[in-house]
Structure formats: C-alpha cells, structure tokens
Amino acid sequence: MTDDAGITRSVLSEQVKGRLLQAILDGRYPPGARIVETRVAREFGTSQAPVREALRDLEALGVVETAAFKGARVREPSTEELLEAFEVRAILEGHGAVLAMENLGEPELRRLEDLIEEMRQAAVSGDAYREAAIDTEFHRLIMHHAGNATLERVWRTLEPFLRTYITIVSPEVDRRAVADRHVPIVDALRRQNSALIEDAMRAHFEAAASALAEAWPSHVNGVADRTDQSRPGQVPAVPI
C-alpha cells in the first residue's frame, strides 16, 4: 500500500466514523443495535476497510463494542457506568467553566442565554434531537473558552459517550425543565465566582444523572426486543 492510499483510507475512515457517530446520536442506531459492516459500506459507498477502522475508533470512544463472530453493536452500558461518566464530566466541566470565567464576555454570555431559550423552544415543539444538539453547543462553548486544549480534547472524548446514552427520556420527564437547569450556570459565570460556578455545574450534572438513573432501566427493557432488528430503531433524545 502506498502512503497516498493509506492517507485516503484514513480520511475515509474519519468520514465514516463521523457519519456513524451522528447516526448513533440521532437514534438511528440505539443502544444494543447491530452495525453491519457490509451494510454501512454499501450505504456510504466505500469498501469495508474504512468502516472497520471507524468502528475500532468508536470502540475506543466507548460507544461501540465488537465481538468475534458477532460483529459490532452500539454499547449498552450499565446505569452505574453512566453515572460514573457524569461524575467525571461534572469535574471536567466545573474546572473548565472556572477557567472560562475570565474569557466569557457579555457577547458570549448572551449567546449562552440564547441557547437556553432555543432549548426551551425545541422542547415546546417536541424536537428532542434539536434540543440535544443545542445543549451540546452550550457546553462546548464553555469548554472552548476555557482556553485549555488538553481539557477540551478530553471532554470531546467523553461527550459523545454520554450523549449517546442520554438519548432516552421517560414520559414523566418535564423537557422544559432541562433548559432551566442551565440557567444557574450562566448566572454563576456572570458573577465570576469560582465556587458558585463549580457548585452550579455539579448541581447541573447531579440533576441530569438523577433523571438518567430513572429513565435508563426502563429504556433497557424497552429496547431489549429490538436489538437484532435488521433496521435500527429510533428513540427520543434527552439532553443534559
């Protein structure tokens, strides 16, 4: 294989990984669903090699698992594993928000407030996936303004893992309350108080973890009979 061929396959692998991850986050491949290499390659118009490499990368992210003679599936982690990930993300984002405090001026703070309002509008319209995307942008903006490339890179490896598995919601969850959970974070950032910022971020993730702990077991029971379908199912998204 020439170097050019290796580069081309690497680029294709990154593109396939991005599209597969989006399909997982969109709910087209819910937890437990099979990902068939030949079907993905046919859909994306590639050979199986870049698909296989993309699946290895997604496995490293904790999103996919592979088994000999069984192929790849979207991982179905335990509630305990998800709650541990929330705990780690609360620490990362609490520190990141403190670092971002000095870098978030009035335009950026207003943008965060606009994103909260957009989350509310998405919730009212019932557009769960748009709400999840806006939620991610809210957290991404804060982490980006932390000005710490290593911290942001670590956050980016954890964010897809959690967002994949918080794409579930029970009928009892008040979706409009999700946006409201972000308000104390912006308030604390405006006050430029490190302790308040860390407290707000911790409380935010504790509330999100509590909601997930209630929804996840029923989700697992609900999709157990779907995991071997030839066409992946779809579940509604719940952001954090």
Side-chain angles (χ1 to χ4, degrees):
M1 179 183 295
T2 67
D3 289 342
D4 287 347
I7 292 172
T8 300
R9 192 174 75 175
S10 177
V11 171
L12 276 174
S13 172
E14 281 297 310
Q15 292 175 344
V16 172
K17 180 177 75 172
R19 292 177 66 179
L20 272 175
L21 181 57
Q22 191 59 54
I24 293 169
L25 297 175
D26 286 347
R28 283 178 280 155
Y29 288 99
R34 294 178 61 215
I35 302 177
V36 182
E37 282 186 19
T38 53
R39 187 179 301 138
V40 173
R42 189 164 56 248
E43 178 184 351
F44 293 169
T46 71
S47 67
Q48 286 181 242
V51 176
R52 194 171 301 119
E53 290 183 16
L55 288 172
R56 280 199 294 265
D57 288 346
L58 290 174
E59 187 172 20
L61 284 176
V63 173
V64 166
E65 62 183 0
T66 59
F69 310 113
K70 293 184 179 179
R73 288 181 182 270
V74 180
R75 282 192 62 218
E76 187 98 53
S78 67
T79 304
E80 290 73 19
E81 184 179 359
L82 291 170
L83 295 181
E84 287 174 356
F86 268 112
E87 183 178 357
V88 172
R89 189 165 161 188
I91 295 170
L92 287 176
E93 295 205 29
H95 182 59
V98 170
L99 293 178
M101 178 176 66
E102 300 291 343
N103 301 325
L104 291 168
E106 188 58 29
E108 290 78 22
L109 291 171
R110 281 201 297 266
R111 175 57 182 156
L112 290 173
E113 290 171 336
D114 288 343
L115 288 170
I116 292 173
E117 183 56 34
E118 290 177 27
M119 276 186 256
R120 291 192 181 108
Q121 293 172 5
V124 170
S125 67
D127 191 341
Y129 292 109
R130 174 166 169 73
E131 187 182 9
I134 298 166
D135 190 318
T136 296
E137 175 60 17
F138 179 97
H139 291 271
R140 187 206 64 79
L141 191 152
I142 293 174
M143 295 303 290
H144 177 70
H145 281 83
N148 186 313
T150 301
L151 184 66
E152 186 175 3
R153 184 165 59 251
V154 172
W155 176 82
R156 285 183 182 278
T157 65
L158 186 59
E159 191 275 333
F161 170 79
L162 271 181
R163 188 150 52 105
T164 300
Y165 300 114
I166 58 177
T167 52
I168 341 131
V169 64
S170 62
E172 297 80 19
V173 171
D174 181 359
R175 302 197 55 81
R176 287 171 293 186
V178 172
D180 294 339
R181 290 205 297 260
H182 294 76
V183 173
I185 298 173
V186 180
D187 290 344
L189 286 168
R190 280 191 178 280
R191 296 175 67 175
Q192 294 197 331
N193 184 306
S194 299
L196 285 178
I197 291 170
E198 290 185 330
D199 287 347
M201 195 64 79
R202 182 174 60 253
H204 174 82
F205 280 102
E206 285 176 352
S210 177
L212 179 65
E214 293 180 6
W216 187 249
S218 61
H219 162 74
V220 171
N221 294 333
V223 301
D225 297 331
R226 295 210 306 257
T227 55
D228 286 318
Q229 291 179 348
S230 59
R231 298 175 66 182
Q234 190 169 16
V235 293
V238 62
I240 59 170

